[in-house]
Amino acid sequence: MITVGVEEEYLLVDPATGLPAPLVEEVRRTAGLGPLTEDDEVQHELLQAQIEVATPVCATLDEVGGHLLRLRHAVASAAEANGCRIAATGAAPLRGPVPVPVTPTQRYLKMEGEARQLVDEQLICGMHVHVAIPDPGMGVAVINRIRGWLPTLLAMSANSPLWDGRDTGFASWRTIIFGRWPVTGPPPFFDGFDEYERRLESLVASGVMPDRGQVYWQARLSERYPTIEVRCLDVQLRPDEAVMFAGLVRALVATTITEEKAGTPPDVSRPELLQAGTWYAARHGLNSTLVDPRGHPHSSGDVLGSLLHHITPALEDAGDLREVSALVHRLLQEGTPADRQRRALTEGGLPGLIRLITETTTSD
């Protein structure tokens, strides 16, 4: 069984105003005192109103779901004990008049010095899925084969429509905010692992970025673990939606490994179409057409159906087909989390929105 792990980022917000609350050290300290978390499972992020959790390595989706619920409950309880709440939203719906302080590590302070406005506006939260790979060469082959599906995954995950109290018109404003760093978006096609390494080394050697960690491709080899890391997703409102993406990404990786071993030629998405499809997915979510891996526009439902058909054997092998399929169909019926944020704001105003993004974080 291919193992998987999930990282999630949350905002810390004032429960009354919805404004970011720079209390990460207090929340981490409180969460770390209890028996529910290990030291490395709750981490700080770039800004002091963000917090990250990371599951252990998991063999099943039940394990992923159990750990996410455990970690969300632990961090939510710690936040409440310190007068704030965790919000599972891809972008802060509101910002205060003063920027949130940077977490005072050498790396983050250097980033602030080099790109102050970008850092000030990094009140965004993503979800990263790590899937084990047998070796780096196969990992690069997997990246080559899944890159055409990244816009579809992004559209499904969209959960950041609001910014500065207004509807941005985008389903994933997080994608637009994050896309302003030097190296972001869909990865290029690589002619093997050696070329992957040469490209990363040349980027660092250029002096544009201090290290390989700031190569923010939406799919990349992890620098810390023997995994491929898929990073195109907004953080999800509900933990079972995060579980769905863990199942989808693992099945995509398993499918591409099978294809690579069989010598099946990959679909090579043209970079301009992949970039345009990413922007379009961030703009519309599932409320329009999607660009499929071959660069053709189809209805969102048809593209999601194609994705499920493509990975069905892998889902069956993992015992995940029924669960993941049911969650994908629910997503098509209910809309993306971005759609639900907009409905909550329309029906309940700001209090209704705050309830949605803070109270659904620990419930399926």
Side-chain angles (χ1 to χ4, degrees), residues 17 91 106 130 175-177 286 328 340:
T17 66
Q106 182 178 357
H130 286 261
T175 299
I176 305 304
I177 292 288
L286 297 179
V328 170
R340 281 173 265 152

Side-chain angles (χ1 to χ4, degrees), residues 192-215:
F193 176 65
D194 288 344
E195 187 192 10
Y196 180 92
E197 285 291 296
R198 284 196 300 271
R199 289 198 182 191
L200 262 66
E201 289 303 319
S202 66
L203 285 166
V204 175
S206 73
V208 174
M209 57 199 63
D211 55 56
R212 293 157 60 118
Q214 286 191 33
V215 177

Side-chain angles (χ1 to χ4, degrees), residues 313-341:
L315 289 172
E316 288 179 329
D317 287 346
D320 298 337
L321 180 59
R322 179 177 295 181
E323 179 179 5
V324 171
S325 295
L327 289 166
V328 170
H329 285 102
R330 188 186 73 181
L331 176 67
L332 283 169
Q333 292 173 348
E334 294 185 355
T336 64
D339 297 324
R340 281 173 265 152
Q341 282 204 40

Side-chain angles (χ1 to χ4, degrees), residues 222-242:
S222 172
E223 293 292 311
R224 298 176 59 193
Y225 309 111
T227 64
I228 177 176
E229 181 184 6
V230 173
R231 305 166 45 86
C232 63
L233 309 168
D234 283 4
V235 71
Q236 294 300 285
L237 281 173
R238 297 186 295 224
D240 63 352
E241 293 167 328

Side-chain angles (χ1 to χ4, degrees), residues 125-127 129 153-154 157 174 230-235 245 249:
C125 295
M127 170 187 169
V129 180
L153 294 173
L154 165 60
S157 77
R174 168 189 163 272
V230 173
R231 305 166 45 86
C232 63
L233 309 168
D234 283 4
V235 71
F245 282 109
V249 173

Side-chain angles (χ1 to χ4, degrees), residues 233-274:
L233 309 168
D234 283 4
V235 71
Q236 294 300 285
L237 281 173
R238 297 186 295 224
D240 63 352
E241 293 167 328
V243 170
M244 174 188 72
F245 282 109
L248 288 170
V249 173
R250 177 167 69 172
L252 263 175
V253 171
T255 299
T256 57
I257 289 174
T258 299
E259 290 177 338
E260 182 69 14
K261 289 180 176 179
T264 305
D267 290 324
V268 182
S269 302
R270 286 161 45 190
E272 67 274 17
L273 282 173
L274 194 51

